[in-house]
Amino acid sequence: MTGGVPTPAARRPRPRAVVLGAGIAGLTAAHELAERGFQVTVYERRLDERTGGDHPVVKLGGLAASQFATAGGGRARLRPFPGRSGATPPGRAVAGEHGFRLFPAYYLHIWDLLQQIPCYVPSGTDRDGRTVWRPTGRTVMDNVRRVISAATTLPGKPSLIFSRAAPRSAAELVTTAGQLGELGFTPADVQTFLGRLARYVTTSPPRRAAELANRSAYDFFTADGCTYTPATEALMLEMPKVLAAFDSRWGDARTNLNTYLQLLLHLDRGEGKADGVLDGPTTEAWFDHWYRHLTALGVRFVPGEVRELEPPRAGGNLPPHRRPRVTAVLADGTRITPDYLVVAVDAPTAERITGTLRRAGTGGAVAGLDGFTTSLAPPKSPLQASAERPAGRRDPYAMSETGRVPWDRFQTLTGIQFYFDTEFQLVRGHVYYSGTEWHLSSINQRAMWAERPELARDGFVSVLSVDIGDFNTPSGVNGKAARDCTTDELAAEVWRQISDALTSGLAGGAGMGRAPSSAPDGNTAGPPETRLPTPAWYALDRYLVLADDPDGNGRPVRNEAPYLVPVVGDWDNRPEGEPWNPNGTSWMTRPTEERRREDLERRHTWRAGHGGYPMHHNSVVLAGTWTRTFTRMTSMEAACESARHAVNALLDHYIWVESGGTDPRDDTALDWRFPFDFLDQGYSGPVRQPTPAGDYCYVFDLEDREPLDARGPRNLDGECYLAGLPHPLAALSALSAPTLPTLPVPPTGGQPLPSPEDYTSHLLTYLQAWRQYLEQATHWPAPPPPAAPPSATTPPSPPSPTFPTAPPSPTFPTAPPSPPDPPDPTACGDPPASETPPAPEATGTPARRPGSAFRAARLPSPPVTRASAASLYSVPAPSESASPDGDEAPRPTIPPLPGYELIRPVHDLGR
């Protein structure tokens, strides 16, 4: 226990925390620290560009902030659309975005955060004439609009509208299934795809970390002879690029599949959640309210840019917890030495300002930043040996040096807004323009706004916000990549690709670069401009810096917001510091006690005994989308999560210092008991783990939201992995396996393909069959049967609407046949190998976290012992550690690195 540790609010003087950066990570850290009694000051170099009114002095929100443009000039100025005339300039600045805002339903940290920010309204003025703001009973969560529609264009075919919610009727279900057939999926494609998903969700997190780090998503889905029709394979390669600038051939399988699974499984959870967008420009609907709430909590905002962080120059003879702290030197020479510094700037800036700390021998995440943004990308492949890589450094903002190869960890993902002086909504949701060279997607923001633009006041009526996912592929019309176009060329080409994609399905249409031709009825379909309005104005993302041009029409030469993408083999290159789950439901790694002592004395780095982000020189902790998070992909969710990890590390360090250095923070959780699946309640969770300094920030592991029926096989695989054995399904496929569910192959003109909800139901049934077989093979006691998931034949639970039975589905065995038939050797699967891979080298028995965190009222099947796991393997099976080019990739040891130990989950909560 740590009796006598004062809360930050009770300490005199109260501890001071400085946050560098006012993006989502910085604001989240400031919010959480202020609520726990710290005195918080936020430094941000960018100023709010709005004039008049009661606005923050600094720009809040980072990449998520709205960009206010005028027709008079400036880097984000409003420009007339090329060739368009007659548009009246807006009378005030118009709001644009770096890229459109989307809150996927599977987010947890952002949804939880939005509920903590009250909406404020003006309530008179003070003596100095300044507006007084008061909180209301509404929160920013109330400013989020549900988006249940999504659309995709198809080259040469009609565009399709899909629902991001459960079907409301049998007719909607059947027609949705029929539309999926238009995408080119066949029953065989679906069967193969579900088989690979089943393999993934039954793979334990440590095996995912070790064996899928060097494997791309595309290689995982096509492993072991799995093949797809050309249309399906093309979609597998294209859609990740459209969604988040992922590349299936080079993006790591774990990040890609985690994201895809959450998007898919959301449809089956029956939570009533949906994807969301804000009901106004991001800054006005979110960040202005956040600013007012943070100032009410006592947070100060100061314009300023940090030049460097200086290490302390003395104090080495003091006890570790009393050693002096880091000084931040601002660009104007101001020096500040607070109790804590949260570095929440972009990755290139973080690497630059921590250089002096690295030269002083600082380890941890500070050391891991060396070259993270400035190292040259490997010219051959992401797995190119270090000795063969170029040794030079680069400017991470220069577009001529960054993102030139698809496996560069930093790419350009940016946006452009088109403003129309007439009503133009297109789709009330997101549109993915399949087949476009620059992998475009968009949303019509105006349709979601509570305060609609007015032509007389704003100069526009509608706005279409477009994300450009590929800056390297040349256009099929002007022959230029986006990076090589002037701003006018870029705007014209983006609109040309959108227009062609929307009209390519028209009979005789001119879409996708074709000339107009006669339709079957003899009529000629005109060019796209006969179908769509022409934009009046456009604004390009201000983070793109243009080459000098007298007319302001230069090409982009610098990208001040390089976008970090997941690349095979690159996760361990992120700055050190594993995400830590206070609820104890995740597999995690932590430094051994010996390594922690060594880091503290030799590398000026402290870590809590339970793991988590490191603290440097008793004061510096890092946060940002470029750190390691459970979210894994660059997003608002990752920014929020990383800040919460940083604050949790700061709280642990504060307690360690206030305890006189006696509390190592290795056993921190209370023991709660509650029903399975109860920790995640849709938008948040019911439990917060306390500390003497205040609650830990709410953190949730995305991989805890996977299907319950996969947990038993996944737990078994964890034990097999620790025993040096391959995946259970790999071994069982070489012996005997259950008759797995198969999707029907409809006759010509027969039953359409299942809808997305059916995919989820089939996947869960597939997993149930494997679970039943594994229970029989390992003599597990069968747990109580879980509640049936919503499916086409089982009405979902409220609040989701019910719908009648869909077309007939295949029947699945309720238990594996005895004896089961051997698997078809020609089917896609894992063939037997000639030898068993060696057991991974271990530095000791994987440690369990001391103490207990949660124990569910209903636990999944008990984990198997190493002996019972090994008994499954009378026939050797292969390891899935092959690299993308087919060579065997080196398998990490257990623990993953010398000086680290692997921690099993204390409690298994499922989703």
Side-chain angles (χ1 to χ4, degrees):
M1 294 296 292
T2 56
V5 172
T7 63
R11 187 171 172 267
R12 294 294 180 270
R14 288 165 57 194
R16 294 185 304 138
V18 164
V19 177
L20 305 181
I24 290 179
L27 295 178
T28 300
H31 190 157
E32 300 288 359
L33 289 169
E35 288 194 327
R36 288 156 180 80
F38 289 83
Q39 296 184 73
V40 182
T41 303
V42 178
Y43 286 83
E44 169 58 47
R45 70 180 182 88
R46 289 187 170 87
L47 303 180
D48 194 296
E49 69 269 39
R50 292 172 292 178
T51 59
D54 185 16
H55 304 305
V57 63
V58 297
K59 183 79 171 178
L60 303 186
L63 297 184
S66 301
Q67 300 177 6
F68 295 91
T70 63
R75 275 167 42 191
R77 74 178 186 180
L78 209 60
R79 292 183 60 86
F81 186 79
R84 169 69 194 270
S85 61
T88 302
R92 64 177 185 174
V94 301
E97 307 281 348
H98 167 71
F100 61 68
R101 301 276 74 76
L102 169 66
F103 303 90
Y106 74 83
Y107 277 9
L108 285 170
H109 302 95
I110 284 289
W111 292 119
D112 177 69
L113 171 67
L114 296 182
Q115 296 175 85
Q116 300 178 38
I117 305 172
C119 289
Y120 283 73
V121 295
S123 180
T125 58
D126 61 14
R127 293 180 179 178
D128 298 324
R130 292 173 299 191
T131 303
V132 175
W133 297 89
R134 65 174 178 82
T136 66
R138 300 176 68 252
T139 68
V140 173
M141 184 74 170
D142 296 308
N143 290 345
V144 178
R145 296 288 183 88
R146 287 167 54 93
V147 178
I148 62 172
S149 299
T152 183
T153 64
L154 295 175
K157 297 181 179 181
S159 302
L160 303 178
I161 302 288
F162 290 101
S163 174
R164 287 288 297 145
R168 296 165 296 177
S169 66
E172 183 178 336
L173 174 66
V174 172
T175 53
T176 297
Q179 286 182 327
L180 284 175
E182 293 290 327
L183 291 173
F185 293 122
T186 67
D189 287 333
V190 174
Q191 176 72 15
T192 302
F193 191 76
L194 289 182
R196 296 309 292 168
L197 284 183
R199 176 60 173 266
Y200 183 78
V201 297
T202 57
T203 298
S204 61
R207 191 184 298 278
R208 294 179 187 182
E211 299 184 1
L212 299 183
N214 292 345
R215 168 167 283 191
S216 73
Y218 178 80
D219 290 325
F220 178 83
F221 278 117
T222 59
D224 308 312
C226 293
T227 60
Y228 304 86
T229 59
T232 299
E233 185 161 335
L235 283 172
M236 289 170 58
L237 293 172
E238 179 186 25
M239 291 310 294
K241 193 77 173 179
V242 174
L243 289 170
F246 286 4
D247 192 309
S248 294
R249 289 191 182 274
W250 303 110
D252 79 89
R254 190 178 188 184
T255 303
N256 275 260
L257 268 73
N258 278 359
T259 304
Y260 174 77
L261 271 173
Q262 295 305 318
L263 290 170
L264 173 66
L265 294 173
H266 149 68
L267 298 174
D268 192 68
R269 290 196 179 107
E271 297 171 328
K273 290 176 66 177
D275 300 337
V277 297
L278 291 166
D279 66 355
T282 308
T283 293
E284 296 174 358
W286 180 4
F287 297 136
D288 284 348
H289 296 291
W290 207 358
Y291 167 74
R292 290 159 192 145
H293 185 56
L294 291 176
T295 55
L297 293 176
V299 177
R300 296 174 56 245
F301 292 89
V302 178
E305 180 177 6
V306 174
R307 186 176 67 206
E308 66 174 333
L309 301 181
E310 286 187 355
R313 300 180 180 179
N317 295 326
L318 294 173
H321 67 285
R322 296 184 56 194
R323 290 173 187 167
R325 308 193 174 196
V326 164
T327 296
V329 183
L330 304 185
D332 62 3
T334 302
R335 302 171 66 86
I336 51 177
T337 307
D339 295 292
Y340 291 102
L341 270 164
V342 181
V343 178
V345 293
D346 65 315
T349 300
E351 181 180 349
R352 175 178 57 81
I353 67 176
T354 55
T356 306
L357 295 180
R358 281 190 295 279
R359 290 190 288 274
T362 306
V366 167
L369 274 171
D370 186 23
F372 183 65
T373 68
T374 57
S375 294
L376 297 175
K380 296 181 180 179
S381 83
L383 299 180
Q384 187 174 347
S386 299
E388 300 175 2
R389 298 189 180 199
R393 292 294 175 104
R394 68 179 177 185
D395 178 352
Y397 297 125
M399 294 188 66
S400 61
E401 303 177 40
T402 305
R404 306 294 298 195
V405 293
W407 54 82
D408 191 337
R409 66 170 66 104
F410 287 102
Q411 299 287 332
T412 298
L413 174 66
T414 190
I416 185 172
Q417 280 73 46
F418 294 109
Y419 300 89
F420 299 83
D421 53 5
T422 187
E423 181 74 4
F424 177 65
Q425 292 198 31
L426 194 61
V427 173
R428 294 176 64 88
H430 294 86
V431 183
Y432 307 102
Y433 300 97
S434 178
T436 52
E437 297 99 314
W438 293 353
H439 296 99
L440 305 176
S441 56
S442 75
I443 187 172
N444 192 314
Q445 297 183 183
R446 180 264 190 193
M448 308 296 173
W449 287 357
E451 183 180 350
R452 305 293 178 87
E454 298 176 3
L455 184 62
R457 180 190 63 193
D458 302 298
F460 71 98
V461 176
S462 304
V463 56
L464 187 72
S465 184
V466 182
D467 271 1
I468 306 172
D470 187 335
F471 262 66
N472 292 324
T473 300
S475 160
V477 173
N478 70 11
K480 292 184 177 182
R483 66 169 62 242
D484 299 321
C485 292
T486 66
T487 55
D488 281 355
E489 289 173 338
L490 193 148
E493 178 58 21
V494 168
W495 184 245
R496 195 276 305 171
Q497 291 186 28
I498 289 176
S499 300
D500 283 3
L502 290 170
T503 58
S504 70
L506 300 175
M512 307 309 288
R514 298 193 308 273
S517 61
S518 295
D521 58 6
N523 295 323
T524 298
E529 53 264 32
T530 67
R531 303 276 180 165
L532 304 170
T534 301
W537 306 88
Y538 77 90
L540 188 62
D541 175 23
R542 72 169 52 206
Y543 285 97
L544 293 181
V545 181
L546 308 178
D548 291 336
D549 183 87
D551 298 324
N553 188 31
R555 64 180 181 85
V557 293
R558 292 178 67 78
N559 173 20
E560 293 186 344
Y563 184 80
L564 178 64
V565 297
V567 177
V568 293
D570 201 45
W571 182 256
D572 288 338
N573 293 327
R574 293 201 180 196
E576 187 178 337
E578 294 297 325
W580 172 67
N581 183 351
N583 297 320
T585 61
S586 305
W587 288 83
M588 294 180 291
T589 58
R590 69 178 183 188
T592 61
E593 184 177 352
E594 180 180 357
R595 175 63 186 262
R596 293 200 303 273
R597 287 198 303 266
E598 181 182 341
D599 282 346
L600 184 60
E601 294 298 334
R602 298 181 56 187
R603 303 181 185 93
H604 317 292
T605 304
W606 180 88
R607 292 178 178 85
H610 54 58
Y613 282 16
M615 184 70 66
H616 311 82
H617 291 281
N618 280 340
S619 54
V620 175
V621 63
L622 309 183
T625 58
W626 41 270
T627 60
R628 305 184 194 189
T629 62
F630 293 123
T631 306
R632 296 182 68 90
M633 66 171 288
T634 301
S635 60
M636 296 181 290
E637 177 79 350
C640 179
E641 182 195 335
S642 72
R644 293 182 170 195
H645 288 304
V647 171
N648 287 344
L650 191 153
L651 292 175
D652 281 325
H653 182 271
Y654 170 84
I655 296 167
W656 175 68
V657 169
E658 292 299 318
S659 71
T662 62
D663 186 347
R665 308 302 295 157
D666 56 3
D667 186 5
T668 60
L670 297 182
D671 186 0
W672 291 97
R673 300 170 186 267
F674 46 78
F676 191 91
D677 209 21
F678 196 70
L679 182 62
D680 168 20
Q681 291 188 337
Y683 294 108
S684 186
V687 173
R688 299 293 186 272
Q689 289 287 2
T691 80
D695 286 349
Y696 282 124
C697 300
Y698 173 67
V699 171
F700 202 88
D701 185 351
L702 201 65
E703 293 182 337
D704 280 346
R705 303 191 92 217
E706 294 176 6
L708 167 63
D709 287 286
R711 301 300 284 194
R714 192 173 104 164
N715 291 345
L716 171 64
D717 179 59
E719 299 299 325
C720 292
Y721 178 75
L722 296 180
L725 299 170
H727 193 289
L729 300 189
L732 291 171
S733 65
L735 295 169
S736 58
T739 301
L740 297 180
T742 57
L743 295 173
V745 180
T748 302
Q751 174 183 335
L753 285 174
S755 75
E757 289 72 29
D758 288 320
Y759 291 166
T760 307
S761 301
H762 283 307
L763 175 61
L764 296 179
T765 309
Y766 193 101
L767 294 172
Q768 289 168 358
W770 271 113
R771 178 173 180 158
Q772 291 165 355
Y773 177 72
L774 291 173
E775 287 168 354
Q776 183 184 67
T778 57
H779 307 292
W780 290 351
S791 69
T793 55
T794 303
S797 301
S800 299
T802 60
F803 48 92
T805 303
S809 296
T811 57
F812 303 102
T814 57
S818 180
D821 296 329
D824 181 359
T826 64
C828 170
D830 296 285
S834 58
E835 66 180 73
T836 303
E841 180 182 346
T843 59
T845 302
R848 291 184 181 273
R849 178 176 162 197
S852 61
F854 292 89
R855 294 188 178 90
R858 184 178 73 78
L859 289 174
S861 303
V864 297
T865 63
R866 294 193 179 192
S868 60
S871 68
L872 291 172
Y873 293 92
S874 57
V875 176
S879 166
E880 274 209 314
S881 58
S883 61
D885 58 6
D887 297 328
E888 189 73 10
R891 188 171 185 178
T893 59
I894 301 293
L897 294 172
Y900 287 78
E901 54 192 3
L902 185 65
I903 309 173
R904 292 182 177 92
V906 175
H907 177 270
D908 193 348
L909 291 171
R911 286 186 290 176

